[in-house]
Every structure is written in C-alpha cells, then in structure tokens.
Amino acid sequence: MATLVSSIQEKVLYRGGVGHFMFIAHRLAGLGVLFFLVTHIIDTSWVAYWPEGYAAATKIYATPPFIVGETFLVAALLFHGINGLKLIYLDRNPEKWSKELEAKLNVATIVASVLIWLPAAYVMLSHIWDDGHKVVTDSNPELGWINVGILLLLGVGMAGVWGMSKGKKSINVPKNFETRMYQFMRYSGVMLLPLAYGHVLIKDIIHGASAINLDYVALYWGTWGWRLYDMALLAFAFAHGMNGLKQVAEDYIHNPKLVRMARIAILAAWVLITAVGAYAIIAGVQEIA
C-alpha cells in the first residue's frame, strides 16, 4: 500500500508542465466515465432483472444533483475523447511532434472541449427548471429514423477505423497482445466518438434524464437499430474503459503478484458486467409485477 501511495504521489507531484497535467486529466476523466459506465450498465440491466428498481432509480436521475453531476460527466467525456484524438494524431505522425505543436494542440483540446461543453451544459441544466421536457412516445417522427441514423453513426465510426488501419505505419512494432490492445484502444476510441457522443446528444441533451423511464427504454429497444447501437456501445466503450483501467493499475502497482491479481479481477469484472448488460439488451424490458 505504501508503494502504491508513493507511486501516485510521484505521478501527481512531478513537475512536467501542461503536458503532464493533461495526462493526469485524461486518466481522471477516463476513470470517471468508466465509473459511471459501470453503474449505468448495471442499473440499466435492471429493466430485465428488476424493473421496480430501475423505475426507482430513474426518479433519482431526474433530481437536480444528479443532472448537475451528469453535466460534468459530459465535460469529462468530451475532454477525454478530444484529447484522445490529439494522442492518436501524434502517435500516427511522430515526425511532426514538437514541444510547440503539442502545446498548441493542448490549448486547442481545452478550448474545443469547453466550447462544445458550454451549450450542452446549458441545455442539460435547463432540464432542472423546465418541467416541459420532451416526452418521447411511439408517435414521435424521430423514431422512424432511428435505424437509419444508427447505421450512419456506425458507418462513420467504421470509416474512421478503416482510415486509420489504411494509414501509414511509421514504426514497426512486434505483434503481441500488448500492441494489439494498444491498437484496440486507438481504433475503439475513434469508433466511440460517433457512438458515445451520439448517445449523449440524444439521451442527455435532447431528451434529458427526466424523460427516461421504463416506457422510454421499452420504446427504444423496440427497434432493432437501438439494440444494435447499445450493444456496440457496450462492446467498445466498456472494453475500452476496462483496458484503460488495466493500464492505470499496471502503472501504479509495482508488485508482480498484485499486478496479476488486478489483471484477473479486471478481466473477471469485464466478462461478468458485459454478460449482464448484453443479456438485458437481448431480453428487453420486463413488466413490473
């Protein structure tokens, strides 16, 4: 434990400038999003296992403290995604790296994150005092375009991954598990930009947490497109986050035995929670007894 605390202190107190604090912010944002994702997968799965519990949970989601917290969660997601694009760009173009370019990209990342987040935050916070939030029913014309929109979002993500895979490879690296997972983090990160941001735009900004309940989930999961969309989010986002957690654990835990235990625990949690979430998406919403 003393070694772990010392390692964390070294990472935080190291005076590496803006780049170092961007690194810390990237990890903290990712861990925050992962924590929410774990709770979100579990509580959403209650629609299949425990609908009464989900109905009670959605009442909490509509409270001001939760909406404020969710607003800052969106800030973390925006920053993590945009900063991830910066990292991918520098990884793919090492010959272009310079201290000056990285400094400019850091500023651009912060500015872009704030400028995108501010209007989103205003709309999300408006759900606190706006009792006339949008109620989604099967008569909404948008439902007819869900499948088309989801296919487009998936197509954009896959096009981004295909473009990366066909790009130049500046450095030859050995093909082992770690390099494959490194590639997965980059590819899944690109795939998640349209998937995760599209999810946030529809569920958190346009509709708002106060509009989400059992009927809402049943309505959306009544379309094959939305189930496919949530399954893709579950597959890419959760695996991306748990592999990131593994990397953080390996950086801060130096005892080989503890590292192996952390890897096993993370793998087991990933398999179990993914299975729970996937079953719920397939089974759908159960009626309250």
PDB file of all heavy atoms in Angstrom, residues 214-251:
ATOM      1  N   LEU A 214     -39.009   3.407 -17.679  1.00  0.00           N
ATOM      2  CA  LEU A 214     -39.182   2.076 -18.263  1.00  0.00           C
ATOM      3  C   LEU A 214     -39.830   2.139 -19.642  1.00  0.00           C
ATOM      4  O   LEU A 214     -39.423   1.423 -20.571  1.00  0.00           O
ATOM      5  CB  LEU A 214     -40.023   1.200 -17.334  1.00  0.00           C
ATOM      6  CG  LEU A 214     -39.303   0.585 -16.136  1.00  0.00           C
ATOM      7  CD1 LEU A 214     -40.307  -0.033 -15.183  1.00  0.00           C
ATOM      8  CD2 LEU A 214     -38.287  -0.465 -16.593  1.00  0.00           C
ATOM      9  N   ASP A 215     -40.846   2.985 -19.795  1.00  0.00           N
ATOM     10  CA  ASP A 215     -41.513   3.100 -21.091  1.00  0.00           C
ATOM     11  C   ASP A 215     -40.559   3.626 -22.158  1.00  0.00           C
ATOM     12  O   ASP A 215     -40.613   3.212 -23.323  1.00  0.00           O
ATOM     13  CB  ASP A 215     -42.723   4.034 -20.971  1.00  0.00           C
ATOM     14  CG  ASP A 215     -43.830   3.432 -20.122  1.00  0.00           C
ATOM     15  OD1 ASP A 215     -43.880   2.189 -20.017  1.00  0.00           O
ATOM     16  OD2 ASP A 215     -44.638   4.200 -19.562  1.00  0.00           O
ATOM     17  N   TYR A 216     -39.696   4.550 -21.761  1.00  0.00           N
ATOM     18  CA  TYR A 216     -38.722   5.124 -22.693  1.00  0.00           C
ATOM     19  C   TYR A 216     -37.773   4.038 -23.200  1.00  0.00           C
ATOM     20  O   TYR A 216     -37.541   3.912 -24.409  1.00  0.00           O
ATOM     21  CB  TYR A 216     -37.938   6.221 -21.966  1.00  0.00           C
ATOM     22  CG  TYR A 216     -36.872   6.917 -22.789  1.00  0.00           C
ATOM     23  CD1 TYR A 216     -37.144   8.133 -23.420  1.00  0.00           C
ATOM     24  CD2 TYR A 216     -35.594   6.385 -22.918  1.00  0.00           C
ATOM     25  CE1 TYR A 216     -36.169   8.791 -24.160  1.00  0.00           C
ATOM     26  CE2 TYR A 216     -34.619   7.032 -23.654  1.00  0.00           C
ATOM     27  CZ  TYR A 216     -34.914   8.236 -24.269  1.00  0.00           C
ATOM     28  OH  TYR A 216     -33.939   8.875 -25.002  1.00  0.00           O
ATOM     29  N   VAL A 217     -37.232   3.230 -22.280  1.00  0.00           N
ATOM     30  CA  VAL A 217     -36.314   2.163 -22.672  1.00  0.00           C
ATOM     31  C   VAL A 217     -37.025   1.136 -23.545  1.00  0.00           C
ATOM     32  O   VAL A 217     -36.486   0.678 -24.563  1.00  0.00           O
ATOM     33  CB  VAL A 217     -35.702   1.490 -21.431  1.00  0.00           C
ATOM     34  CG1 VAL A 217     -34.770   0.346 -21.848  1.00  0.00           C
ATOM     35  CG2 VAL A 217     -34.930   2.505 -20.589  1.00  0.00           C
ATOM     36  N   ALA A 218     -38.250   0.771 -23.168  1.00  0.00           N
ATOM     37  CA  ALA A 218     -39.010  -0.205 -23.944  1.00  0.00           C
ATOM     38  C   ALA A 218     -39.266   0.310 -25.361  1.00  0.00           C
ATOM     39  O   ALA A 218     -39.216  -0.450 -26.332  1.00  0.00           O
ATOM     40  CB  ALA A 218     -40.330  -0.511 -23.248  1.00  0.00           C
ATOM     41  N   LEU A 219     -39.536   1.607 -25.473  1.00  0.00           N
ATOM     42  CA  LEU A 219     -39.822   2.209 -26.772  1.00  0.00           C
ATOM     43  C   LEU A 219     -38.602   2.140 -27.679  1.00  0.00           C
ATOM     44  O   LEU A 219     -38.697   1.747 -28.843  1.00  0.00           O
ATOM     45  CB  LEU A 219     -40.258   3.663 -26.578  1.00  0.00           C
ATOM     46  CG  LEU A 219     -40.754   4.406 -27.810  1.00  0.00           C
ATOM     47  CD1 LEU A 219     -42.005   3.751 -28.362  1.00  0.00           C
ATOM     48  CD2 LEU A 219     -41.030   5.871 -27.456  1.00  0.00           C
ATOM     49  N   TYR A 220     -37.447   2.506 -27.139  1.00  0.00           N
ATOM     50  CA  TYR A 220     -36.246   2.499 -27.967  1.00  0.00           C
ATOM     51  C   TYR A 220     -35.744   1.094 -28.245  1.00  0.00           C
ATOM     52  O   TYR A 220     -35.292   0.796 -29.358  1.00  0.00           O
ATOM     53  CB  TYR A 220     -35.154   3.352 -27.302  1.00  0.00           C
ATOM     54  CG  TYR A 220     -35.250   4.791 -27.718  1.00  0.00           C
ATOM     55  CD1 TYR A 220     -36.136   5.658 -27.091  1.00  0.00           C
ATOM     56  CD2 TYR A 220     -34.499   5.283 -28.774  1.00  0.00           C
ATOM     57  CE1 TYR A 220     -36.250   6.980 -27.487  1.00  0.00           C
ATOM     58  CE2 TYR A 220     -34.606   6.602 -29.183  1.00  0.00           C
ATOM     59  CZ  TYR A 220     -35.476   7.448 -28.528  1.00  0.00           C
ATOM     60  OH  TYR A 220     -35.597   8.748 -28.938  1.00  0.00           O
ATOM     61  N   TRP A 221     -35.792   0.226 -27.253  1.00  0.00           N
ATOM     62  CA  TRP A 221     -35.353  -1.142 -27.509  1.00  0.00           C
ATOM     63  C   TRP A 221     -36.364  -1.920 -28.325  1.00  0.00           C
ATOM     64  O   TRP A 221     -36.117  -3.066 -28.695  1.00  0.00           O
ATOM     65  CB  TRP A 221     -35.081  -1.850 -26.179  1.00  0.00           C
ATOM     66  CG  TRP A 221     -33.736  -1.486 -25.612  1.00  0.00           C
ATOM     67  CD1 TRP A 221     -32.831  -0.612 -26.145  1.00  0.00           C
ATOM     68  CD2 TRP A 221     -33.148  -1.988 -24.415  1.00  0.00           C
ATOM     69  NE1 TRP A 221     -31.716  -0.530 -25.346  1.00  0.00           N
ATOM     70  CE2 TRP A 221     -31.887  -1.366 -24.273  1.00  0.00           C
ATOM     71  CE3 TRP A 221     -33.562  -2.882 -23.437  1.00  0.00           C
ATOM     72  CZ2 TRP A 221     -31.039  -1.622 -23.200  1.00  0.00           C
ATOM     73  CZ3 TRP A 221     -32.719  -3.141 -22.356  1.00  0.00           C
ATOM     74  CH2 TRP A 221     -31.477  -2.517 -22.244  1.00  0.00           C
ATOM     75  N   GLY A 222     -37.489  -1.304 -28.646  1.00  0.00           N
ATOM     76  CA  GLY A 222     -38.445  -1.911 -29.571  1.00  0.00           C
ATOM     77  C   GLY A 222     -37.956  -1.857 -31.003  1.00  0.00           C
ATOM     78  O   GLY A 222     -38.545  -2.487 -31.888  1.00  0.00           O
ATOM     79  N   THR A 223     -36.884  -1.083 -31.266  1.00  0.00           N
ATOM     80  CA  THR A 223     -36.293  -1.015 -32.602  1.00  0.00           C
ATOM     81  C   THR A 223     -34.982  -1.795 -32.594  1.00  0.00           C
ATOM     82  O   THR A 223     -34.194  -1.699 -31.651  1.00  0.00           O
ATOM     83  CB  THR A 223     -35.991   0.446 -33.002  1.00  0.00           C
ATOM     84  OG1 THR A 223     -35.055   1.006 -32.078  1.00  0.00           O
ATOM     85  CG2 THR A 223     -37.264   1.286 -32.979  1.00  0.00           C
ATOM     86  N   TRP A 224     -34.755  -2.582 -33.647  1.00  0.00           N
ATOM     87  CA  TRP A 224     -33.534  -3.383 -33.700  1.00  0.00           C
ATOM     88  C   TRP A 224     -32.304  -2.491 -33.765  1.00  0.00           C
ATOM     89  O   TRP A 224     -31.223  -2.854 -33.269  1.00  0.00           O
ATOM     90  CB  TRP A 224     -33.553  -4.322 -34.905  1.00  0.00           C
ATOM     91  CG  TRP A 224     -33.616  -3.632 -36.243  1.00  0.00           C
ATOM     92  CD1 TRP A 224     -34.726  -3.376 -36.985  1.00  0.00           C
ATOM     93  CD2 TRP A 224     -32.507  -3.101 -36.981  1.00  0.00           C
ATOM     94  NE1 TRP A 224     -34.393  -2.719 -38.141  1.00  0.00           N
ATOM     95  CE2 TRP A 224     -33.041  -2.542 -38.169  1.00  0.00           C
ATOM     96  CE3 TRP A 224     -31.137  -3.041 -36.772  1.00  0.00           C
ATOM     97  CZ2 TRP A 224     -32.236  -1.931 -39.132  1.00  0.00           C
ATOM     98  CZ3 TRP A 224     -30.336  -2.432 -37.727  1.00  0.00           C
ATOM     99  CH2 TRP A 224     -30.887  -1.888 -38.891  1.00  0.00           C
ATOM    100  N   GLY A 225     -32.467  -1.313 -34.373  1.00  0.00           N
ATOM    101  CA  GLY A 225     -31.321  -0.418 -34.515  1.00  0.00           C
ATOM    102  C   GLY A 225     -30.777   0.042 -33.178  1.00  0.00           C
ATOM    103  O   GLY A 225     -29.567   0.089 -32.970  1.00  0.00           O
ATOM    104  N   TRP A 226     -31.695   0.396 -32.245  1.00  0.00           N
ATOM    105  CA  TRP A 226     -31.213   0.908 -30.967  1.00  0.00           C
ATOM    106  C   TRP A 226     -30.588  -0.199 -30.130  1.00  0.00           C
ATOM    107  O   TRP A 226     -29.635   0.040 -29.393  1.00  0.00           O
ATOM    108  CB  TRP A 226     -32.337   1.592 -30.194  1.00  0.00           C
ATOM    109  CG  TRP A 226     -31.751   2.544 -29.198  1.00  0.00           C
ATOM    110  CD1 TRP A 226     -31.478   2.313 -27.891  1.00  0.00           C
ATOM    111  CD2 TRP A 226     -31.310   3.878 -29.455  1.00  0.00           C
ATOM    112  NE1 TRP A 226     -30.899   3.410 -27.307  1.00  0.00           N
ATOM    113  CE2 TRP A 226     -30.790   4.385 -28.251  1.00  0.00           C
ATOM    114  CE3 TRP A 226     -31.326   4.701 -30.586  1.00  0.00           C
ATOM    115  CZ2 TRP A 226     -30.274   5.673 -28.144  1.00  0.00           C
ATOM    116  CZ3 TRP A 226     -30.815   5.985 -30.478  1.00  0.00           C
ATOM    117  CH2 TRP A 226     -30.295   6.451 -29.270  1.00  0.00           C
ATOM    118  N   ARG A 227     -31.088  -1.417 -30.253  1.00  0.00           N
ATOM    119  CA  ARG A 227     -30.454  -2.523 -29.530  1.00  0.00           C
ATOM    120  C   ARG A 227     -29.052  -2.771 -30.094  1.00  0.00           C
ATOM    121  O   ARG A 227     -28.113  -3.030 -29.336  1.00  0.00           O
ATOM    122  CB  ARG A 227     -31.301  -3.786 -29.651  1.00  0.00           C
ATOM    123  CG  ARG A 227     -32.610  -3.701 -28.896  1.00  0.00           C
ATOM    124  CD  ARG A 227     -33.203  -5.064 -28.653  1.00  0.00           C
ATOM    125  NE  ARG A 227     -34.537  -4.979 -28.072  1.00  0.00           N
ATOM    126  CZ  ARG A 227     -35.112  -5.939 -27.404  1.00  0.00           C
ATOM    127  NH1 ARG A 227     -34.492  -7.082 -27.214  1.00  0.00           N
ATOM    128  NH2 ARG A 227     -36.329  -5.793 -26.910  1.00  0.00           N
ATOM    129  N   LEU A 228     -28.922  -2.696 -31.405  1.00  0.00           N
ATOM    130  CA  LEU A 228     -27.606  -2.845 -32.026  1.00  0.00           C
ATOM    131  C   LEU A 228     -26.670  -1.741 -31.559  1.00  0.00           C
ATOM    132  O   LEU A 228     -25.488  -1.975 -31.259  1.00  0.00           O
ATOM    133  CB  LEU A 228     -27.745  -2.814 -33.554  1.00  0.00           C
ATOM    134  CG  LEU A 228     -26.448  -2.823 -34.368  1.00  0.00           C
ATOM    135  CD1 LEU A 228     -25.703  -4.138 -34.141  1.00  0.00           C
ATOM    136  CD2 LEU A 228     -26.754  -2.633 -35.858  1.00  0.00           C
ATOM    137  N   TYR A 229     -27.203  -0.527 -31.482  1.00  0.00           N
ATOM    138  CA  TYR A 229     -26.430   0.629 -31.048  1.00  0.00           C
ATOM    139  C   TYR A 229     -25.924   0.438 -29.615  1.00  0.00           C
ATOM    140  O   TYR A 229     -24.727   0.639 -29.325  1.00  0.00           O
ATOM    141  CB  TYR A 229     -27.321   1.865 -31.132  1.00  0.00           C
ATOM    142  CG  TYR A 229     -26.648   3.193 -30.856  1.00  0.00           C
ATOM    143  CD1 TYR A 229     -25.895   3.811 -31.843  1.00  0.00           C
ATOM    144  CD2 TYR A 229     -26.796   3.834 -29.638  1.00  0.00           C
ATOM    145  CE1 TYR A 229     -25.297   5.035 -31.617  1.00  0.00           C
ATOM    146  CE2 TYR A 229     -26.200   5.058 -29.391  1.00  0.00           C
ATOM    147  CZ  TYR A 229     -25.454   5.654 -30.390  1.00  0.00           C
ATOM    148  OH  TYR A 229     -24.867   6.873 -30.156  1.00  0.00           O
ATOM    149  N   ASP A 230     -26.815   0.058 -28.702  1.00  0.00           N
ATOM    150  CA  ASP A 230     -26.411  -0.138 -27.314  1.00  0.00           C
ATOM    151  C   ASP A 230     -25.465  -1.323 -27.168  1.00  0.00           C
ATOM    152  O   ASP A 230     -24.572  -1.316 -26.310  1.00  0.00           O
ATOM    153  CB  ASP A 230     -27.646  -0.340 -26.431  1.00  0.00           C
ATOM    154  CG  ASP A 230     -28.333   0.975 -26.100  1.00  0.00           C
ATOM    155  OD1 ASP A 230     -27.789   2.035 -26.460  1.00  0.00           O
ATOM    156  OD2 ASP A 230     -29.422   0.951 -25.500  1.00  0.00           O
ATOM    157  N   MET A 231     -25.647  -2.345 -27.993  1.00  0.00           N
ATOM    158  CA  MET A 231     -24.733  -3.484 -27.938  1.00  0.00           C
ATOM    159  C   MET A 231     -23.331  -3.067 -28.396  1.00  0.00           C
ATOM    160  O   MET A 231     -22.322  -3.495 -27.805  1.00  0.00           O
ATOM    161  CB  MET A 231     -25.254  -4.623 -28.823  1.00  0.00           C
ATOM    162  CG  MET A 231     -24.586  -5.960 -28.575  1.00  0.00           C
ATOM    163  SD  MET A 231     -24.969  -6.672 -26.945  1.00  0.00           S
ATOM    164  CE  MET A 231     -26.602  -7.370 -27.262  1.00  0.00           C
ATOM    165  N   ALA A 232     -23.261  -2.228 -29.434  1.00  0.00           N
ATOM    166  CA  ALA A 232     -21.965  -1.740 -29.903  1.00  0.00           C
ATOM    167  C   ALA A 232     -21.306  -0.859 -28.840  1.00  0.00           C
ATOM    168  O   ALA A 232     -20.092  -0.948 -28.608  1.00  0.00           O
ATOM    169  CB  ALA A 232     -22.143  -0.960 -31.210  1.00  0.00           C
ATOM    170  N   LEU A 233     -22.111  -0.007 -28.192  1.00  0.00           N
ATOM    171  CA  LEU A 233     -21.577   0.825 -27.110  1.00  0.00           C
ATOM    172  C   LEU A 233     -21.033  -0.042 -25.978  1.00  0.00           C
ATOM    173  O   LEU A 233     -19.942   0.216 -25.443  1.00  0.00           O
ATOM    174  CB  LEU A 233     -22.670   1.741 -26.573  1.00  0.00           C
ATOM    175  CG  LEU A 233     -22.726   3.167 -27.108  1.00  0.00           C
ATOM    176  CD1 LEU A 233     -23.900   3.909 -26.495  1.00  0.00           C
ATOM    177  CD2 LEU A 233     -21.428   3.919 -26.838  1.00  0.00           C
ATOM    178  N   LEU A 234     -21.794  -1.059 -25.603  1.00  0.00           N
ATOM    179  CA  LEU A 234     -21.368  -1.959 -24.544  1.00  0.00           C
ATOM    180  C   LEU A 234     -20.054  -2.643 -24.911  1.00  0.00           C
ATOM    181  O   LEU A 234     -19.123  -2.719 -24.103  1.00  0.00           O
ATOM    182  CB  LEU A 234     -22.450  -2.997 -24.274  1.00  0.00           C
ATOM    183  CG  LEU A 234     -22.117  -4.112 -23.271  1.00  0.00           C
ATOM    184  CD1 LEU A 234     -21.920  -3.524 -21.883  1.00  0.00           C
ATOM    185  CD2 LEU A 234     -23.237  -5.154 -23.250  1.00  0.00           C
ATOM    186  N   ALA A 235     -19.972  -3.122 -26.147  1.00  0.00           N
ATOM    187  CA  ALA A 235     -18.790  -3.866 -26.582  1.00  0.00           C
ATOM    188  C   ALA A 235     -17.546  -2.985 -26.638  1.00  0.00           C
ATOM    189  O   ALA A 235     -16.483  -3.353 -26.128  1.00  0.00           O
ATOM    190  CB  ALA A 235     -19.054  -4.498 -27.950  1.00  0.00           C
ATOM    191  N   PHE A 236     -17.674  -1.813 -27.259  1.00  0.00           N
ATOM    192  CA  PHE A 236     -16.495  -0.962 -27.459  1.00  0.00           C
ATOM    193  C   PHE A 236     -16.178  -0.108 -26.239  1.00  0.00           C
ATOM    194  O   PHE A 236     -15.022  -0.023 -25.812  1.00  0.00           O
ATOM    195  CB  PHE A 236     -16.690  -0.078 -28.695  1.00  0.00           C
ATOM    196  CG  PHE A 236     -16.631  -0.823 -29.983  1.00  0.00           C
ATOM    197  CD1 PHE A 236     -17.781  -1.090 -30.708  1.00  0.00           C
ATOM    198  CD2 PHE A 236     -15.424  -1.272 -30.492  1.00  0.00           C
ATOM    199  CE1 PHE A 236     -17.731  -1.787 -31.903  1.00  0.00           C
ATOM    200  CE2 PHE A 236     -15.353  -1.974 -31.680  1.00  0.00           C
ATOM    201  CZ  PHE A 236     -16.517  -2.229 -32.393  1.00  0.00           C
ATOM    202  N   ALA A 237     -17.182   0.555 -25.675  1.00  0.00           N
ATOM    203  CA  ALA A 237     -16.923   1.504 -24.591  1.00  0.00           C
ATOM    204  C   ALA A 237     -16.431   0.799 -23.333  1.00  0.00           C
ATOM    205  O   ALA A 237     -15.466   1.244 -22.700  1.00  0.00           O
ATOM    206  CB  ALA A 237     -18.187   2.313 -24.285  1.00  0.00           C
ATOM    207  N   PHE A 238     -17.086  -0.285 -22.951  1.00  0.00           N
ATOM    208  CA  PHE A 238     -16.714  -0.931 -21.704  1.00  0.00           C
ATOM    209  C   PHE A 238     -15.357  -1.625 -21.823  1.00  0.00           C
ATOM    210  O   PHE A 238     -14.533  -1.564 -20.891  1.00  0.00           O
ATOM    211  CB  PHE A 238     -17.795  -1.922 -21.269  1.00  0.00           C
ATOM    212  CG  PHE A 238     -17.628  -2.412 -19.870  1.00  0.00           C
ATOM    213  CD1 PHE A 238     -17.372  -1.521 -18.837  1.00  0.00           C
ATOM    214  CD2 PHE A 238     -17.731  -3.752 -19.569  1.00  0.00           C
ATOM    215  CE1 PHE A 238     -17.211  -1.970 -17.532  1.00  0.00           C
ATOM    216  CE2 PHE A 238     -17.576  -4.213 -18.271  1.00  0.00           C
ATOM    217  CZ  PHE A 238     -17.310  -3.316 -17.250  1.00  0.00           C
ATOM    218  N   ALA A 239     -15.102  -2.267 -22.959  1.00  0.00           N
ATOM    219  CA  ALA A 239     -13.792  -2.898 -23.157  1.00  0.00           C
ATOM    220  C   ALA A 239     -12.693  -1.839 -23.201  1.00  0.00           C
ATOM    221  O   ALA A 239     -11.603  -2.035 -22.648  1.00  0.00           O
ATOM    222  CB  ALA A 239     -13.799  -3.716 -24.448  1.00  0.00           C
ATOM    223  N   HIS A 240     -12.974  -0.708 -23.842  1.00  0.00           N
ATOM    224  CA  HIS A 240     -12.020   0.399 -23.897  1.00  0.00           C
ATOM    225  C   HIS A 240     -11.709   0.893 -22.481  1.00  0.00           C
ATOM    226  O   HIS A 240     -10.542   1.072 -22.101  1.00  0.00           O
ATOM    227  CB  HIS A 240     -12.618   1.533 -24.743  1.00  0.00           C
ATOM    228  CG  HIS A 240     -11.707   2.706 -24.919  1.00  0.00           C
ATOM    229  ND1 HIS A 240     -10.933   2.889 -26.046  1.00  0.00           N
ATOM    230  CD2 HIS A 240     -11.458   3.785 -24.123  1.00  0.00           C
ATOM    231  CE1 HIS A 240     -10.243   4.012 -25.927  1.00  0.00           C
ATOM    232  NE2 HIS A 240     -10.545   4.584 -24.765  1.00  0.00           N
ATOM    233  N   GLY A 241     -12.739   1.105 -21.692  1.00  0.00           N
ATOM    234  CA  GLY A 241     -12.553   1.608 -20.344  1.00  0.00           C
ATOM    235  C   GLY A 241     -11.838   0.628 -19.428  1.00  0.00           C
ATOM    236  O   GLY A 241     -10.956   1.014 -18.648  1.00  0.00           O
ATOM    237  N   MET A 242     -12.194  -0.646 -19.513  1.00  0.00           N
ATOM    238  CA  MET A 242     -11.569  -1.636 -18.630  1.00  0.00           C
ATOM    239  C   MET A 242     -10.110  -1.877 -19.005  1.00  0.00           C
ATOM    240  O   MET A 242      -9.269  -2.109 -18.131  1.00  0.00           O
ATOM    241  CB  MET A 242     -12.355  -2.951 -18.675  1.00  0.00           C
ATOM    242  CG  MET A 242     -13.747  -2.846 -18.064  1.00  0.00           C
ATOM    243  SD  MET A 242     -13.735  -2.378 -16.315  1.00  0.00           S
ATOM    244  CE  MET A 242     -13.483  -3.968 -15.538  1.00  0.00           C
ATOM    245  N   ASN A 243      -9.785  -1.803 -20.299  1.00  0.00           N
ATOM    246  CA  ASN A 243      -8.383  -1.923 -20.680  1.00  0.00           C
ATOM    247  C   ASN A 243      -7.602  -0.699 -20.209  1.00  0.00           C
ATOM    248  O   ASN A 243      -6.437  -0.808 -19.810  1.00  0.00           O
ATOM    249  CB  ASN A 243      -8.241  -2.086 -22.193  1.00  0.00           C
ATOM    250  CG  ASN A 243      -6.815  -2.437 -22.599  1.00  0.00           C
ATOM    251  OD1 ASN A 243      -6.283  -3.474 -22.196  1.00  0.00           O
ATOM    252  ND2 ASN A 243      -6.190  -1.565 -23.382  1.00  0.00           N
ATOM    253  N   GLY A 244      -8.248   0.469 -20.237  1.00  0.00           N
ATOM    254  CA  GLY A 244      -7.610   1.660 -19.691  1.00  0.00           C
ATOM    255  C   GLY A 244      -7.356   1.514 -18.199  1.00  0.00           C
ATOM    256  O   GLY A 244      -6.306   1.921 -17.686  1.00  0.00           O
ATOM    257  N   LEU A 245      -8.313   0.914 -17.489  1.00  0.00           N
ATOM    258  CA  LEU A 245      -8.142   0.661 -16.054  1.00  0.00           C
ATOM    259  C   LEU A 245      -6.976  -0.287 -15.814  1.00  0.00           C
ATOM    260  O   LEU A 245      -6.198  -0.111 -14.859  1.00  0.00           O
ATOM    261  CB  LEU A 245      -9.429   0.072 -15.471  1.00  0.00           C
ATOM    262  CG  LEU A 245      -9.414  -0.276 -13.980  1.00  0.00           C
ATOM    263  CD1 LEU A 245      -9.166   0.970 -13.137  1.00  0.00           C
ATOM    264  CD2 LEU A 245     -10.728  -0.948 -13.577  1.00  0.00           C
ATOM    265  N   LYS A 246      -6.825  -1.292 -16.684  1.00  0.00           N
ATOM    266  CA  LYS A 246      -5.691  -2.224 -16.566  1.00  0.00           C
ATOM    267  C   LYS A 246      -4.370  -1.480 -16.729  1.00  0.00           C
ATOM    268  O   LYS A 246      -3.405  -1.718 -15.984  1.00  0.00           O
ATOM    269  CB  LYS A 246      -5.805  -3.332 -17.610  1.00  0.00           C
ATOM    270  CG  LYS A 246      -4.671  -4.353 -17.554  1.00  0.00           C
ATOM    271  CD  LYS A 246      -4.805  -5.391 -18.638  1.00  0.00           C
ATOM    272  CE  LYS A 246      -4.288  -4.889 -19.973  1.00  0.00           C
ATOM    273  NZ  LYS A 246      -2.814  -4.800 -20.023  1.00  0.00           N
ATOM    274  N   GLN A 247      -4.318  -0.558 -17.676  1.00  0.00           N
ATOM    275  CA  GLN A 247      -3.093   0.205 -17.891  1.00  0.00           C
ATOM    276  C   GLN A 247      -2.764   1.072 -16.682  1.00  0.00           C
ATOM    277  O   GLN A 247      -1.602   1.186 -16.277  1.00  0.00           O
ATOM    278  CB  GLN A 247      -3.240   1.076 -19.147  1.00  0.00           C
ATOM    279  CG  GLN A 247      -3.313   0.275 -20.431  1.00  0.00           C
ATOM    280  CD  GLN A 247      -3.574   1.151 -21.639  1.00  0.00           C
ATOM    281  OE1 GLN A 247      -3.838   2.335 -21.523  1.00  0.00           O
ATOM    282  NE2 GLN A 247      -3.492   0.565 -22.822  1.00  0.00           N
ATOM    283  N   VAL A 248      -3.802   1.681 -16.097  1.00  0.00           N
ATOM    284  CA  VAL A 248      -3.584   2.501 -14.906  1.00  0.00           C
ATOM    285  C   VAL A 248      -3.066   1.636 -13.757  1.00  0.00           C
ATOM    286  O   VAL A 248      -2.124   2.010 -13.050  1.00  0.00           O
ATOM    287  CB  VAL A 248      -4.888   3.218 -14.489  1.00  0.00           C
ATOM    288  CG1 VAL A 248      -4.716   3.914 -13.133  1.00  0.00           C
ATOM    289  CG2 VAL A 248      -5.286   4.242 -15.548  1.00  0.00           C
ATOM    290  N   ALA A 249      -3.669   0.459 -13.574  1.00  0.00           N
ATOM    291  CA  ALA A 249      -3.244  -0.445 -12.500  1.00  0.00           C
ATOM    292  C   ALA A 249      -1.790  -0.864 -12.696  1.00  0.00           C
ATOM    293  O   ALA A 249      -1.009  -0.906 -11.731  1.00  0.00           O
ATOM    294  CB  ALA A 249      -4.150  -1.665 -12.460  1.00  0.00           C
ATOM    295  N   GLU A 250      -1.409  -1.162 -13.926  1.00  0.00           N
ATOM    296  CA  GLU A 250      -0.031  -1.591 -14.201  1.00  0.00           C
ATOM    297  C   GLU A 250       0.961  -0.451 -13.965  1.00  0.00           C
ATOM    298  O   GLU A 250       2.126  -0.703 -13.628  1.00  0.00           O
ATOM    299  CB  GLU A 250       0.072  -2.104 -15.639  1.00  0.00           C
ATOM    300  CG  GLU A 250      -0.660  -3.421 -15.860  1.00  0.00           C
ATOM    301  CD  GLU A 250      -0.736  -3.814 -17.318  1.00  0.00           C
ATOM    302  OE1 GLU A 250      -0.449  -2.963 -18.188  1.00  0.00           O
ATOM    303  OE2 GLU A 250      -1.085  -4.976 -17.593  1.00  0.00           O
ATOM    304  N   ASP A 251       0.518   0.779 -14.151  1.00  0.00           N
ATOM    305  CA  ASP A 251       1.406   1.920 -13.932  1.00  0.00           C
ATOM    306  C   ASP A 251       1.635   2.208 -12.451  1.00  0.00           C
ATOM    307  O   ASP A 251       2.716   2.669 -12.063  1.00  0.00           O
ATOM    308  CB  ASP A 251       0.829   3.180 -14.591  1.00  0.00           C
ATOM    309  CG  ASP A 251       1.123   3.238 -16.081  1.00  0.00           C
ATOM    310  OD1 ASP A 251       1.864   2.361 -16.570  1.00  0.00           O
ATOM    311  OD2 ASP A 251       0.602   4.143 -16.753  1.00  0.00           O
TER     312      ASP A 251
END
